[in-house]
């Protein structure tokens, strides 16, 4: 079964995938170790992992008989770019407000 391509926000929109990312932020885990943290079937966990992998949030490395998942920066870059846009937007608005207040306030 093909996993549909999701945009970054659809990928992180699922609470289980967000929890997987949080767990992986502490250490690399095998797929089985990740699955132990969820009350869902192993195939369901594998589907979430595949979505995270396809979106560039994690890498999967085969070591012996185990498959290890590790966070990857790629998926987070789109999120960071989107958030940075709004950081700049609000910084600009606050600077304009500060300028306006400074002009109106007596020294």
């Amino acid at each position: 079964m093909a996993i549909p391509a999701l945009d970054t926000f659809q990928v992180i929109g699922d609470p289980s995938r967000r929890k997987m990312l949080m767990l992986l932020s502490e250490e690399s885990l095998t797929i089985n170790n990740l699955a132990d943290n969820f009350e869902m079937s192993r195939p369901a966990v594998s589907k979430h992992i595949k979505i995270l992998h396809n979106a560039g949030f994690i890498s999967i490395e085969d070591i012996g008989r185990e498959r290890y998942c590790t966070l990857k920066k790629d998926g987070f870059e789109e999120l960071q770019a989107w958030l940075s846009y709004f950081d700049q937007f609000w910084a600009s608005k606050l600077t304009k407000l500060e300028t306006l207040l400074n002009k109106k306030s007596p020294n």
Side-chain angles (χ1 to χ4, degrees), residues 13-99:
D14 184 275
S16 296
R17 290 193 287 270
R18 287 194 308 269
K19 183 176 178 183
M20 288 177 184
L21 292 173
M22 292 302 293
L23 291 167
L24 291 171
S25 73
E26 296 171 14
E27 62 181 322
S28 294
L29 294 169
T30 66
I31 294 174
N32 288 328
N33 291 138
L34 267 174
D36 290 342
N37 292 281
F38 298 91
E39 292 184 16
M40 66 177 79
S41 68
R42 172 74 164 69
V45 170
S46 291
K47 183 178 177 182
H48 286 296
I49 289 170
K50 191 168 194 169
I51 289 169
L52 290 169
H53 181 260
N54 290 344
F57 283 93
I58 65 171
S59 63
I60 300 172
E61 182 180 5
D62 294 333
I63 301 176
R65 295 176 49 153
E66 297 286 349
R67 300 184 78 207
Y68 282 84
C69 301
T70 306
L71 283 184
K72 242 177 102 175
K73 187 177 179 185
D74 299 356
F76 294 95
E77 289 174 344
E78 185 177 347
L79 288 175
Q80 186 60 48
W82 192 84
L83 290 170
S84 292
Y85 171 84
F86 287 99
D87 282 342
Q88 293 172 4
F89 170 82
W90 287 113
S92 170
K93 294 293 183 188
L94 290 172
T95 300
K96 288 177 185 176
L97 176 61
E98 180 182 29
T99 301

